[in-house]
Amino acid sequence: MKIALDAATTLPEDGTSGTLLARVWLPDAGPVPTLVRGDDVIDLSRLSPTMATLLALPHLADRLAGAEGARIGGIAEIVANTGLDGRDPAKPWLLAPCDLQAVKACGVTFASSMLERVIESSARGDASAADGIRRTLQAEIGSDLSRVKPGSEQAERLKAALVERGLWSPYLEVGIGPYAEVFTKCPAMAAVGTGVEVGIHAVSEWNNPEPEVVVVVDPAGAIVGATLGNDVNLRDVEGRSALLLGKAKDNNASASVGPFIRLFDATFSLDDVRGAEVSLRVEGDDGFTLDGSSSMRLISRDPTELVAHTCGPHHQYPDGFLLYTGTMFAPTKDRGGPGKGFTHHPGDIVTIASPKLGRLVNRVERAHEVEPWTFGIAALMRSLAVRQLI
């Protein structure tokens, strides 16, 4: 299926009223950090050459209100040229809105996805066994763990009871235990943006999208904004062993982020992140469709708590980082027959949307067949040097 993007559906529902940052590829220069101001996209590279250094500036939203820069083009024309299908390489297009920042992710932060992780671990990666295990677990411990505060005395009592019944799992340890799961999703510069392909490793026969809110954190550890993300996951690979997390999570184009970073300002705050509603839609060439939605209100650990588990005296990020806050929706709708569950087919179109963050759209392909990642940190430094920005 082809990807067709337009500004009306890519932008947040309130349009450009918020402070929206985008990273744009200029064919004659390279990547530049930009500000969406009304219908225009403004080059901010003279204010700051990278997104990482831009997001480290104090009082950034206020500074951007009067920031000057060259107009790159209209947001409508740039969005329309962002999708791989029919892109004119001589014109600008959107990239993932991050560059030198670390890209981290949290797992098992929602009760529903926590149970799915326990299920895939118990199934040892066998999708056909998942449905039976799901029914057994729900009968034994119920499906609502959302009221259990991680690390609490109640959580410790539940852990003891589940261990006694042989139902404990590493996923429950990070789901209701004292320590959050935090892992590296991809190297800096490896994330892809909207309108392009996301990669599924060819060895996987059971995989899924993971729609998430991604918080943007400055070098001091403060959350300064948010965006959307697809934490593409191989359920069969991770299900065989939690030690295969890297293979399940970090492959070519397996981290999708965008379309914009929305900074905190008078129109958008951390409370908007805490209350964000996120929707997922998957459309396949085989006529299959899947729709789901969830709310950040159901998260078991506040975003600030997840950030505190990621950085602090124990770990610094001088270039800042992006943090996937955890999947809210684990698809289980059967595809290809009863009891077979959901898995991606190449060509699936995945749309992740939230009213104040816009819409992130990607097409699924095998990881070895997506556009190769060749523009890394060294290439960025060379590009900035040629432009006399460093």
Side-chain angles (χ1 to χ4, degrees), residues 87 106 121 158 167 246 268 371 386-387 390:
R87 176 189 292 166
C106 291
S121 177
L158 177 59
L167 294 174
F268 184 66
E371 183 178 7
V386 167
R387 288 180 273 161
I390 56 172

Side-chain angles (χ1 to χ4, degrees), residues 275-295:
E277 302 289 331
V278 179
S279 65
L280 168 71
R281 182 169 178 82
V282 178
E283 302 169 89
D285 287 330
D286 57 352
F288 176 87
T289 60
L290 181 148
D291 290 283
S293 64
S294 191
S295 171

Side-chain angles (χ1 to χ4, degrees), residues 33-85:
T34 70
L35 171 68
V36 182
R37 180 181 287 158
D39 295 330
D40 299 328
V41 178
I42 306 300
D43 183 353
L44 297 176
S45 58
R46 293 294 166 181
L47 173 64
S48 181
T50 70
M51 289 293 284
T53 53
L54 179 68
L55 290 161
L57 294 176
H59 312 294
L60 180 55
D62 292 337
R63 294 181 70 164
L64 292 175
E68 297 181 356
R71 179 184 183 274
I72 290 174
I75 184 61
E77 62 191 88
I78 291 174
V79 169
N81 195 50
T82 294
L84 274 180
D85 306 311

Side-chain angles (χ1 to χ4, degrees), residues 124-145:
R124 300 292 188 268
D126 180 4
S128 63
D131 193 47
I133 296 170
R134 185 178 296 109
R135 288 196 298 269
T136 299
L137 276 172
Q138 289 178 351
E140 288 286 336
I141 64 175
S143 59
D144 185 10
L145 295 176

